[in-house]
Structures are given as C-alpha cells and as structure tokens.
Amino acid sequence: MKNILLYISRLFVGSILIVSGVVKANDAVGFSYKLHDYFTEGVLGMEFLQPYTVMMAVFICVIEIALGAALVFGLKAKLTTTLNLLMMVFFTFLTFYSAYFNKVTDCGCFGDALKLTPWESFTKDVVLLFFSVILFVYRKQIFPNKLFEDLKYILPSILFIILFSVGVIGWWFPVIFAILIYGLKFIIKRFDKNQWRLLSVSVIASLVFIFYTYNHLPIEDFRPYKVSANIIEGMEVAPDALPEITEYSWKFKVNGEEKIYVTKGSYPEVNGDFIGVDTKIIQEAEAPKIHDFTIEGENDDTQLYLSKENVLVVVAYDFSKSSNEGFKVVKKATDEALAKGYTVLGLTAESKEKRVAKKEEYQLGFDFYFCDGTTLKTIVRANPGVFEMDSATIKQKLHWKDLDQLKL
C-alpha cells in the first residue's frame, strides 16, 4: 500500500509540476505581472521584490519543471522532495492568504490557460501538499529508476499530462515538451547516469523555451486579445454568463420574537413587523472578457477605430521601460504601413505630455492615445509591441523583435 501511494504521489505531483511550469514558462512575462500583484502594498507589502519579479518568474518555472521531471525519474530524492515540500507550503499559504482576505482573485498557477478562483487554488495546493508530504516522509525510499523501470513512470506520466493538459486546458504543447525531456533523459541515461547532468536536461530545456517566449511572444495565447479575437464581441456579456445572485436576510418581529427570513430578492409574506434587511452578494455577475479597452485622446475614439479596417496599433504601456531599439524598428514598420494606407495609432498609459514627447523623439508618423496599463500588458507581452486589427478583429500580433514578419 505504501509503495503504491508513493508511486502515485511521484506521478501526480511530478506531472502537475511539469504542466504548471510549462504553461507559466509559455508566458513568463505575464506570470511576473502576477507576482508583482502579490508584492503590492495591499497584499504582501513586499514592494522591494517587485523589480525582481521577472527573474523570480523564470526561476519558479524552471524549478517546477526540473522538480517534476526529477520526481518521475527518482533523481536526487532528498533535495527534490525537500524543495518541492517547501514550495508547496509557501504556495498553500499564499493561496490561503489570498482567498481568505480576498487579495488576488487569480493565483496565476496555470497562467491564463486555466482560471481558478482563490479557494479553488487553495484546494488544489492542499491536495498537492498532501502528496508532497508523502514524498518527503518516504524520500529515503525513492531511488533513481533502473534502466527499464523508467517506462513504468514515463508512460503513465505522459498519459496523465495528456488528460490534464489536453483534457482540461486544451493544449498539446506540455505533452510534447514532456516527451522531449523524458526522451532526452531516457537516452542520455544509457550512457551517463550522473543525476546532476540528468537534472540539467530539464533546466536547459526550460531556459531555452523561456528565452524564446520572452524575446518573442507566447507560442499559445490564452488571453481575450489573441489573434482572431474580436474586441467588440469580447466587450459583450456572453448569453450564458452567470448572473449576480444576491441573498436578502429579512428581519421581522413575529409574536414578540425576532426572526430572519432569507430570500433571493422577493419580499417574504410574513405576519409580523418588518425591522430591516441585510443583503449579501453570494455570486458576482460574470463580467465580459474585455472591459477596460479604450482609445482616448481629446475624446473617446474607441468605437471610431474599432469600426475601421486595416488599423495598426503600437502598444507601449510604459515608456520608461520600453526598448529604444524597439521604437526604431516600430518607426520603420509604421512608416511603411502609413505609406500603404493603413491607419496607425499608439496606445499607452502615459500622460499627454509624455505621449507628445515620445512622438517627437522618434519622429513617429502617428499619435499615441491613452489606454489602461494593465489592459495594454494583457494585449501584448512586449513593450513596444504591435497588433493589427480589421473591424475590431485582431489579425496579427508581434513583438517588436519580429516586426520584419509583419504582413501589410
């Protein structure tokens, strides 16, 4: 029984860590934004860590993938089970704190691919913590898999990753990534059984993947501004959206005794004297996927530009953090777009004075408009980045480093 529980724990925790790590590594920049939210004054109050959120995001992604693969292969059991337990304790505390005090509504555990409520995130972490404790307690019974014992762990792990990644998230890449690192470890192990070198396979593969997505864009976009999405449709509440549900607690005095009658809104038929009513929202109304997208100049020109065809939009949420080289590339691309009859505009969260100064600095042929900074960071993970829309439908989205691939 103990051996079966240990076997299941290795497979379950290892596979979940790989999926979680790959999903976050696909958008390490977006994960760093989530960490930034946790460190704000109103949450953990650790603003001194905010400048390091990108490095922390990369580290967490790499450590999750490396630990996941190590558990499946039984590598460095004492180290991996200890690190895994510490990580699970930390995240369980973090998600409980967030849920109990309603601080951060989305933990970012699986990026934008799978949204979990704070209490769902906490429940998930409690389950993982349970299996992580088992791994730690029985860590002395975890040894590197023997040569052909690997298949006993690899195949079920891949099956589990398929069920979770494809069945729940709807994305095949974590499966492909897992097969790649499992395959490399399996082959290398035939010639070199050094555990540190086998561990390094996962680390190197993770870093290569993160380096690519960081310097370009996520290979899979789970946000409401993905290519082919229509911004106007995203602003509308879905027909099957959950409505707001409010609970009313009516207080009456009946036969000299105070009684409370709970309804979903209707006034209760009670033979007594009404005292008062308390309301409590037990289900928030489901908001539209897009709710803060604006194009504001002297006036609100959002609908004007959403109705146009062939619109090229430059996004730079914060000029102080934007790439100077990037704006030189943007200048060239937007000049070409203007020459071909495109409508070109910029979106930023900066003040009017800074918008005008940026246009003059690079002699840009378009004006910048205001849009919420969080929205801009959601639209494109680049600063600056570019997207093309046609009647509010996004046709292309590019990092400034890839603007040579812009099709006009």
Side-chain angles (χ1 to χ4, degrees):
M1 183 64 184
K2 179 176 65 178
N3 291 336
I4 294 176
L5 188 57
L6 183 59
Y7 174 71
I8 292 173
S9 298
R10 285 176 60 182
L11 286 177
F12 179 73
V13 177
S15 302
I16 286 289
L17 284 176
I18 289 174
V19 176
S20 174
V22 171
V23 170
K24 287 198 287 286
N26 175 61
D27 186 11
V29 174
F31 182 45
S32 73
Y33 295 154
K34 183 59 60 179
L35 293 176
H36 190 279
D37 291 342
Y38 273 113
F39 296 140
T40 55
E41 183 178 356
V43 185
L44 295 178
M46 302 170 71
E47 293 90 341
F48 66 93
L49 290 176
Q50 289 178 336
Y52 311 105
T53 53
V54 172
M55 289 187 294
M56 293 174 67
V58 172
F59 175 77
I60 292 172
C61 294
V62 171
I63 201 71
E64 282 191 347
I65 295 170
L67 288 178
L71 289 172
V72 171
F73 279 80
L75 304 174
K76 292 292 177 181
K78 183 178 179 180
L79 175 65
T80 55
T81 56
T82 302
L83 287 176
N84 176 63
L85 181 62
L86 291 173
M87 186 171 65
M88 290 304 169
V89 168
F90 172 73
F91 282 118
T92 302
F93 160 77
L94 197 62
T95 52
F96 171 78
Y97 179 83
S98 177
Y100 187 80
F101 293 102
N102 196 29
K103 294 292 185 179
V104 179
T105 57
D106 175 28
C107 71
C109 307
F110 297 99
D112 292 294
L114 180 62
K115 297 289 188 179
L116 298 175
T117 66
W119 285 114
E120 287 173 341
S121 299
F122 172 67
T123 302
K124 178 263 300 177
D125 284 338
V126 168
V127 173
L128 285 171
L129 180 60
F130 169 77
F131 287 105
S132 297
V133 169
I134 292 172
L135 291 170
F136 181 77
V137 170
Y138 297 113
R139 62 191 182 281
K140 292 183 180 179
Q141 297 180 35
I142 300 176
F143 303 98
N145 300 341
K146 295 179 181 178
L147 285 181
F148 293 100
E149 194 179 17
D150 284 334
L151 297 179
K152 174 184 173 183
Y153 287 89
I154 291 175
L155 296 179
S157 177
I158 290 174
L159 177 60
F160 186 86
I161 292 172
I162 290 174
L163 291 173
F164 186 74
S165 181
V166 181
V168 178
I169 297 175
W171 192 30
W172 273 97
F173 184 78
V175 181
I176 298 170
F177 189 90
I179 291 174
L180 172 66
I181 59 174
Y182 285 175
L184 286 173
K185 287 178 185 287
F186 185 80
I187 293 171
I188 293 172
K189 197 174 175 183
R190 270 64 200 152
F191 308 98
D192 186 354
K193 295 181 177 63
N194 184 277
Q195 295 185 53
W196 285 113
R197 284 193 282 272
L198 288 171
L199 267 172
S200 69
V201 172
S202 307
V203 173
I204 293 171
S206 305
L207 288 173
V208 169
F209 180 47
I210 294 170
F211 180 81
Y212 177 83
T213 56
Y214 181 83
N215 285 282
H216 300 277
L217 291 179
I219 62 172
E220 185 70 22
D221 194 347
F222 295 99
R223 289 158 289 161
Y225 297 95
K226 63 184 179 182
V227 173
S228 78
N230 185 280
I231 294 176
I232 293 177
E233 292 177 1
M235 291 178 172
E236 299 171 351
V237 178
D240 57 348
L242 297 174
E244 180 182 284
I245 299 177
T246 304
E247 184 179 85
Y248 293 78
S249 298
W250 307 87
K251 188 182 291 185
F252 287 85
K253 196 166 190 178
V254 181
N255 297 326
E257 181 182 351
E258 287 189 3
K259 291 187 177 181
I260 294 176
Y261 300 84
V262 178
T263 72
K264 293 296 189 292
S266 58
Y267 188 87
E269 296 181 4
V270 178
N271 293 323
D273 298 325
F274 172 69
I275 298 175
V277 60
D278 293 322
T279 61
K280 178 183 177 182
I281 297 176
I282 59 176
Q283 176 179 282
E284 297 281 355
E286 190 173 344
K289 294 180 179 179
I290 296 175
H291 49 83
D292 286 326
F293 181 85
T294 59
I295 302 175
E296 298 180 23
E298 296 298 331
N299 302 298
D300 187 342
D301 296 318
T302 308
Q303 295 304 319
L304 171 65
Y305 286 108
L306 288 179
S307 65
K308 288 178 175 288
E309 297 180 353
N310 299 326
V311 179
L312 194 67
V313 184
V314 178
V315 174
Y317 74 94
D318 186 338
F319 290 155
S320 66
K321 298 178 181 179
S322 61
S323 165
N324 292 327
E325 183 184 353
F327 268 108
K328 294 176 183 178
V329 177
V330 164
K331 160 71 173 171
K332 180 180 178 181
T334 53
D335 283 349
E336 182 182 351
L338 288 166
K340 292 186 177 181
Y342 276 73
T343 298
V344 181
L345 61 104
L347 289 179
T348 183
E350 300 285 9
S351 65
K352 180 180 179 181
E353 292 74 19
K354 289 184 178 181
R355 300 200 300 263
V356 172
K358 181 61 68 174
K359 177 181 178 180
E360 293 176 353
E361 180 183 358
Y362 291 95
Q363 294 298 299
L364 301 173
F366 60 90
D367 293 323
F368 275 98
Y369 293 77
F370 177 82
C371 184
D372 176 72
T374 301
T375 298
L376 296 179
K377 288 190 287 186
T378 303
I379 293 174
V380 58
R381 304 300 200 202
N383 188 27
V386 170
F387 71 94
E388 179 203 350
M389 62 180 179
D390 189 347
S391 299
T393 297
I394 297 176
K395 297 295 186 180
Q396 301 180 77
K397 188 157 62 169
L398 298 165
H399 194 287
W400 66 265
K401 293 181 180 179
D402 298 318
L403 277 179
D404 58 334
Q405 300 174 26
L406 180 65
K407 298 176 182 177
L408 299 172

